[in-house]
Every structure is written in C-alpha cells, then in structure tokens.
Amino acid sequence: MIPLPLARIAEITSGALAGRADPRAVVRGPVVIDSRDVVPGSLFVAIKGDHVDGHDFAGRAVAAGAVAVLASRPVDVPAVVVGDAVAALTRLATAVCAALPSATVIGVTGSAGKTTTKDLLARLTARLGPTVAPAGSFNNEIGHPLTVLRAAEDTRFLVLELSARKAGHIAHLTRIAPPAIGVVLNVGTAHLGVFGGREAIAGAKGELVEALEADGVAVLNADDPMVAAMAGRTAARVTWYGRAANATVRAEHVTLDGRGRASFTLRTPSGAAPIRLRLYGEHAVGNALAAAAAAYELGLPVTTIAEELSEAEPRSRWRMEVTDRPDGVTVINDAYNANPDSMRAAFGALGALARGRRRFAVVAALRELGEESAALNEGVGRLAAGEGLEALFVVGPDAGPILAGAGAGRTAGEGGGAPPGGGGLRVVHAADVAEAVDGLSALLAPGDVVLVKGPRAAGLERVAEALLGGDRR
Ligand SMILES: Nc1ncnc2c1ncn2[C@@H]1O[C@H](COP(=O)(O)OP(=O)(O)O)[C@@H](O)[C@H]1O
Ligand SMILES: [Mg+2]
C-alpha cells in the first residue's frame, strides 16, 4: 500500500484516533481482515461477522505488528474508530486508488469465466509492469477494496474481477477503482434467480462499461449478442473479440486435442500468432481472447501474448482440473461452481476429452435460479442424458428435476438412437458425497473419465478428491 500516517487514514475515513494511537505512525500495509495475516506495518480491519467479531482479535493483531486497528468501536489498542468498518475500508481504497501515480485499472466481468480471464490477463500485464490482482475470486465488497489496497507506488496494472448479485454492485466497485479498460465476457444464467431475468443480468454487467471514460476501452465479446449490445452503453472505444469474422481480436482455426485443450491462431490488426492452451474446454478460447484483446490494447506484442497464453496453467482451484489416476481413470474436477452455461461448457469438455472412453458424471442441483429453477435443472438432466454417459450421479437434496430431466432425456435418446456405449444410462440419486463416492467407485474401471460439477454449496470437490485419494496431480 501507499504509506499513510494514521492521521491521514482517520481523515479519509472520517474516523477518530483512539487507544493512544500515534497520528504520525505510518501504515505501509498490507490491510488485512484476518489477524493471522498481520505483518509489521499492517492495518487490521475489525469486521463483525455473523460468527466471529474481528474486534476480539484487535490485541492479537497489534501484538503481531499491526500499526492500528480500523474498528467500529473502541478497542484497548491503537485504533481508528469509524461508524462502519466496511464503508471506511471502501473510502480508504478509493482514496488510495486515486493517489496511485501510474496504475491502469482493468475490470473483468461476465457470468462465467471471470476468474480464469483475470488470471490470464494478470499474467499478460505482468509482462508490461508490476501487476496487482486478487487471489482466486476475492471480489466482493470487502475483497475488492482489500485488493485495491495492495497496490503500491510502483503498481502499473490492477486487474480486478467484478461480480454482481444485483443492480448497482458493479457501479459501486467501479467507483472504488475507476477502470480504464472494461472487459465483458458473457451474459448467462448465473444468479438468474436473484436478478429475475437475463436482461437484468445484462443491465448489471453493463455498469462496467458505463463507468468507462471516453478515453477508455470496452473489450466486448462479439459472439454474445447481449454483450455486443453494451456497445451502446459506453462512451469508450470498443474493441471486439471472439470467433466472429468481424472481431478485432479473434481466434481462427480452432481445434481441440484429445484432452479437450484448444489450439488456434490469434489474429489481431498487428499480426497473428499460434496459441496452444493448457486450459481445458473450448470455452477457454473466449476467455483467452478476452485477455488477449485487453493486452493488445495495452501494447503487448502479439507473439508475447501468444507465448504467455500458451504457458498459462489453471491458477485457481477446482476449475476444470484434469487429473489422471495411476489406474488410468481421468477425473475432471470442475466443482468450484456451476450454472446452466458452465454446466454445458463442462459437458462439452467431457465430450472432447473422453472420446472413445466410458464417461461418468457427478452433479448436484443448481441453485439461485429463481422461478426457472425446476426447468433449468431439468435441462441439466436432459443435457447429461444426451452425453453418452454410463452413469449419472445426482448428489444431495432437490435432485428431482435433474433426475426427471435425465429420465426424459434417456427415453428421447433411446427413441432417436442410443448413446455411444449402448448400455443405456444409469441414473443414481446419492444422498451425499460419501454415497456418490461409494457408488461411483464400484463402477469405475481403468480408462474411464469422470466429470464432477456442481454449485459451490454442494461441495462436490470432495467427490473428486476422494476419487483421487488425496493425490491431486
Ligand atoms: N467463457 C465461459 N463460458 C462458459 N463457461 C465458462 C466460461 N469460462 C469458464 N466457464 C466455466 O465456469 C467455471 C467457473 O470459471 P471461473 O473462471 O471461475 O468463472 P467466474 O469467476 O466467472 O465464476 C469454470 O469451471 C468453467 O466450467
Ligand atoms: Mg470468480
């Protein structure tokens, strides 16, 4: 963080120094909310959660070297006392971002692929200068300002993931760190329930490009009509990416290898270069193109972009992790989260990877889909039934619609040509993770492929980890 004396922090946050805090004592960062992350020079932000109250750890934080505590009530150590710690954190991040001498802020949003694209882009900008990006999906109202506060005087790029659960969220995040480049990936069905419709989702995602100034750049997906329509909502110049022939930054000659990894030619106005991704699934092409388009705008040479994208490994856990067991069973762990679109992408990757092999899938009911929940979950069942699986395990409660969809899809499949393998689909409802692991283990034979994919709350990564016996790679 940019070094700031406590007096200045109190001024920015409209707080009061307490606990014999020295106004001249300087915070150099990091700003943290977990007392175990404190190092000398830190500012510890005491947040009162449902289960834990950060104020109880104030003493421990200062003992570990925190200069002071940003607190919403006096504690018996040096503190800046404010009305609302999260609001104060937001103000501090806003002020620090505005004071960064040479940082370009790049925001990434969309229904699916944000974390992947953010990780790819951070890798590209690191070739141009010091880059700060959040770890994983640390992008909520607390994670976002904490990430911004990691920026220092020499930071050249802040690559941020912006997600929304309702209108106004992204606009709020863009006020903390106003973006110069805004990347919108897609408008899908994630959080459909809380939004109430795809138009509302597009409305919320579009707040990112609305926040851009005229000298900014909106990087938009030419292949997604609802993203393309956002061109009308921004004052900034638009750079298109995608498979479409009119996209400025595009992929040509896309092919998938036997593991479902894409190769293609990256074409830009300043040249072309071959890319061979290590990320699994065809949907990774769009994410790579989005990162490439933003990096192209920043002036990174196309050959460097292609080189870096070809070297990138998945950075954040449980997203399309493909692991071979010693006995030749391949497990695709995509259990980080799921929505109807990423479910389709995951089955697409399974299809590409499992050519000629027996395939299995473990899924759980998708959540937060509102009124359309039953219909969309039935769709997941139908999708799974059309994938030529030996067996589909549906884990946990609310499995009804998926089971029904799979049953209907199976009947339709038998009418219109049996799936590869010929044996027909076995659909199993497993009450919990353990039951799924036991049932599946009994069926697996060398050479099989298993897709594990479900919403975060279902915790299906435990299925993948059990199948892999704790041996991850
Ligand atoms: N462009 C995409 N289109 C559809 N699904 C995608 C896309 N990118 C990623 N996914 C799927 O979404 C999951 C989450 O990816 P992630 O990069 O963490 O996205 P987010 O941060 O938006 O949740 C991945 O495991 C993958 O299955
Ligand atoms: Mg994410």
Side-chain angles (χ1 to χ4, degrees):
M1 180 176 120
I2 294 181
L4 290 177
L6 289 182
R8 177 77 188 120
I9 292 176
E11 194 176 309
I12 291 167
T13 58
S14 308
L17 295 184
R20 279 195 292 276
D22 173 358
R24 283 166 303 256
V26 174
V27 173
R28 297 172 190 284
V31 179
V32 300
I33 56 170
D34 184 327
S35 61
R36 290 166 296 187
D37 296 334
V38 166
V39 297
S42 285
L43 178 69
F44 174 65
V45 183
I47 299 210
K48 191 173 170 359
D50 293 338
H51 306 291
V52 184
D53 184 352
H55 295 85
D56 296 342
F57 297 87
R60 230 172 286 181
V62 169
V67 177
V69 179
L70 187 63
S72 49
R73 58 178 154 83
V75 281
D76 45 21
V77 289
V80 178
V81 179
V82 295
D84 174 342
V86 176
L89 181 64
T90 301
R91 284 207 204 131
L92 188 58
T94 309
V96 164
C97 193
L100 291 172
S102 55
T104 297
V105 176
I106 309 163
V108 178
T109 195
S111 291
K114 294 179 294 297
T115 299
T116 308
T117 305
K118 175 263 300 172
D119 288 342
L120 291 174
L121 182 54
R123 189 183 170 108
L124 296 175
T125 60
R127 291 290 296 257
L128 293 164
T131 294
V132 168
S137 278
F138 204 44
N139 62 356
N140 62 11
E141 55 165 359
I142 295 171
H144 188 81
L146 287 178
T147 300
V148 171
L149 286 166
R150 279 173 40 215
E153 264 142 349
D154 69 342
T155 299
R156 289 276 317 284
F157 301 99
L158 261 169
V159 182
L160 302 171
E161 172 177 343
L162 294 86
S163 70
R165 298 184 65 81
K166 63 175 201 210
H169 273 175
I170 288 182
H172 168 76
L173 298 176
T174 62
R175 284 192 289 272
I176 297 175
I181 299 182
V183 180
V184 187
L185 300 171
N186 42 50
V187 173
T189 37
H191 309 306
L192 190 60
V194 290
F195 278 106
R198 290 186 76 211
E199 285 68 26
I201 296 176
K205 306 276 179 226
E207 291 169 11
L208 174 59
V209 296
E210 282 174 351
L212 298 169
E213 305 277 354
D215 60 357
V217 184
V219 173
L220 298 180
N221 185 351
D223 301 335
D224 184 320
M226 292 189 96
V227 175
M230 290 177 196
R233 291 172 60 189
T234 185
R237 185 159 59 74
V238 174
T239 290
W240 298 102
Y241 77 87
R243 308 278 281 267
N246 62 345
T248 318
V249 173
R250 62 184 185 275
E252 293 176 350
H253 316 303
V254 179
T255 58
L256 295 183
D257 72 8
R259 303 280 270 171
R261 289 170 296 205
S263 292
F264 58 94
T265 303
L266 172 66
R267 188 163 293 282
T268 77
S270 63
I275 290 186
R276 200 168 161 174
L277 294 177
R278 296 185 190 190
L279 309 177
Y280 297 91
E282 191 166 357
H283 58 281
V285 174
N287 300 339
L289 284 176
Y296 166 76
E297 284 298 333
L298 294 167
L300 192 64
V302 177
T303 47
T304 312
I305 294 175
E307 230 170 75
E308 287 292 339
L309 291 178
S310 298
E311 269 167 31
E313 305 268 0
R315 257 200 214 176
S316 304
R317 301 285 332 263
W318 305 335
R319 292 166 180 85
M320 287 286 168
E321 287 186 2
V322 179
T323 313
D324 291 318
R325 291 202 320 204
D327 68 353
V329 169
T330 301
V331 178
I332 307 174
N333 179 356
D334 197 29
Y336 180 74
N337 212 342
N339 60 56
D341 308 305
S342 69
M343 213 28 122
R344 240 186 319 278
F347 273 105
L350 173 67
L353 199 146
R355 259 173 248 147
R357 300 165 66 181
R358 295 202 314 163
R359 41 193 92 165
F360 295 82
V362 183
V363 302
L366 303 180
R367 308 183 184 195
E368 299 189 330
L369 295 171
E371 285 174 8
E372 299 190 53
S373 178
L376 290 166
N377 273 304
E378 260 184 65
V380 169
R382 272 197 306 278
L383 171 74
E387 294 292 327
L389 300 174
E390 296 295 319
L392 171 70
F393 286 78
V394 187
V395 184
D398 310 320
I402 297 188
L403 295 170
R410 180 171 42 171
T411 314
E414 278 159 12
L425 170 65
R426 186 194 301 217
V427 182
V428 183
H429 179 209
D432 54 25
V433 163
E435 222 176 281
V437 171
D438 288 346
L440 188 55
S441 300
L443 298 176
L444 286 178
D448 291 346
V449 185
V450 186
L451 168 68
V452 182
K453 170 87 180 164
R456 184 80 293 275
L460 294 190
E461 69 280 355
R462 288 174 291 142
V463 173
E465 283 166 0
L467 291 174
L468 294 170
D471 173 19
R472 302 238 168 81
R473 262 171 215 282

